Amino acid sequence: MHPYHLCSDRELALLLTKGNEQAFTEVYNRFYGLLFIHASKRLNDDEEAKDVVHQLFESLWLKRAQIDPDGNLSAYLYTAVRNRVLDVFAHQKVENKYVDSLQHFMDQDHVRTDHRVRERQMAALIEQEIDALPPKMREIFILSRKANKTHREISEELGLSELTVKTQVKNALRILRSRLGAVVYIAFILKIHQ
């Protein structure tokens, strides 16, 4: 077999359906950059775009047996990225709608005592999860979310780059979202933005 980088998309697709890992690597190398740019332009968020493209390739490998070797591989990948980008937008819309309704609920005057108890329990749970973050991430997150410092202020205070600070805050939020679940996480986000 000649080198994989000389294979046509059609040949790679056929090899992929047979579970050929080198063919998958070649597809990844050939299309990752283009798909990332495509997703990034639409999402205006490089981290989100990376997630979308990585998930796409993960799905491509898991569903490799279902690929049509006679189909257009690049068109298939671009369509898949577009659909995932649309999913991100749809999810954000649902999340925003949910946040709005939760905010409305929290704004209502008749907040009962049992709600205050639940709120205290929720606050304790959130604090517990923040304490469980890696030390540097926890320090950055507390400065950002509780001391309301900007990424620039934190980077100057701790001698780190702004990008590092931004990444650490984003990773902390991702960890908290996965550990706390959507409802508690959204309530937490609402609280820190009040």
Side-chain angles (χ1 to χ4, degrees), residues 72-89:
N72 183 330
L73 184 62
S74 63
Y76 171 82
L77 292 170
Y78 276 103
T79 303
V81 161
R82 193 191 66 218
N83 290 341
R84 283 175 182 273
V85 166
L86 291 173
D87 285 348
V88 169
F89 287 137

Side-chain angles (χ1 to χ4, degrees), residues 41-58:
K41 274 183 185 168
R42 277 147 189 78
L43 293 166
N44 285 321
D45 183 333
D46 286 356
E47 287 301 312
E48 193 82 66
K50 273 183 204 165
D51 286 351
V52 162
V53 178
H54 282 139
Q55 285 164 11
L56 164 63
F57 278 106
E58 199 176 297

Side-chain angles (χ1 to χ4, degrees), residues 1-2 10 17 19 26 31 57 73 77 81 97 107-108 119 124 134 140 145 147 163 191-192:
M1 181 76 200
H2 49 71
R10 189 169 176 274
T17 60
E26 177 55 35
F31 290 102
F57 278 106
L73 184 62
L77 292 170
V81 161
K97 201 172 175 183
D107 285 345
Q108 289 173 343
E119 209 172 52
I140 291 170
R145 289 305 192 256
L163 181 63
K191 209 164 224 15
I192 61 175

